[in-house]
């Protein structure tokens, strides 16, 4: 059974940094594109960053220059390095991965991890 397990969230002061991790496990053949989303209270879930299977990246405008998405294929893990954090970054962050099993390609989601930016 494929699972995505997120870690690294927590409370940080404005201007601080956090690194989120999302590790995939289970019946994985290959992992394709990987994504980070976030959802703040009262707001729709938004795509924050994505990284392709060949490690090209893209970001939503509000995090460009501050966040970096990366992946370690040997560890089946995607990371989100978040620097210069702002209170508006407060949200539950979710990872998503397109995972090829032995039978099909399926999008999987992590359980979410809370990031709170506050002084």
């Amino acid at each position: 059974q494929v699972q995505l397990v997120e870690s690294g969230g927590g409370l940080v002061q404005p201007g601080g940094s956090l690194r989120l991790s999302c590790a995939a496990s289970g019946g994985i053949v290959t992992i394709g594109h990987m994504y980070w989303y976030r959802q703040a209270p009262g707001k729709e879930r938004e795509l924050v960053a994505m990284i392709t299977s060949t490690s090209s990246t893209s970001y939503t405008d509000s995090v460009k220059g501050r966040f970096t998405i990366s992946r370690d294929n040997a560890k089946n893990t995607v990371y989100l390095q978040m620097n210069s954090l702002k209170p508006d970054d407060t949200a539950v962050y979710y990872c998503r991965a397109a995972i090829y099993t032995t039978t099909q390609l399926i999008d999987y989601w992590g359980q979410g991890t809370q990031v709170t930016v506050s002084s």
Side-chain angles (χ1 to χ4, degrees), residues 9 19 21 24 33-34 41 48 55 62 67 74 84 93 103 105 110 119:
R19 189 175 79 153
S21 299
H33 294 8
M34 305 181 85
V48 176
S55 295
S62 63
F67 290 11
S84 302
Y93 284 71
T103 59
L105 171 64
S119 58

Side-chain angles (χ1 to χ4, degrees), residues 1 9-10 21-22 39 47 52-53 59 62 70 73 82 90 98 111:
Q1 183 178 9
S21 299
C22 175
Q39 187 165 24
L47 176 63
T52 71
S53 59
Y59 303 88
S62 63
S70 61
N73 291 329
M82 304 184 294
T90 296
Q111 81 280 8

Side-chain angles (χ1 to χ4, degrees), residues 48-98:
V48 176
M50 67 166 293
I51 183 166
T52 71
S53 59
T54 55
S55 295
S56 62
T57 60
S58 61
Y59 303 88
T60 191
D61 286 344
S62 63
V63 308
K64 286 181 179 177
R66 300 188 299 119
F67 290 11
T68 302
I69 187 171
S70 61
R71 63 193 291 162
D72 185 337
N73 291 329
K75 297 181 179 180
N76 289 332
T77 299
V78 62
Y79 305 94
L80 186 67
Q81 178 66 47
M82 304 184 294
N83 299 325
S84 302
L85 283 162
K86 305 174 181 179
D88 284 349
D89 295 319
T90 296
V92 177
Y93 284 71
Y94 299 89
C95 66
R96 171 192 166 207

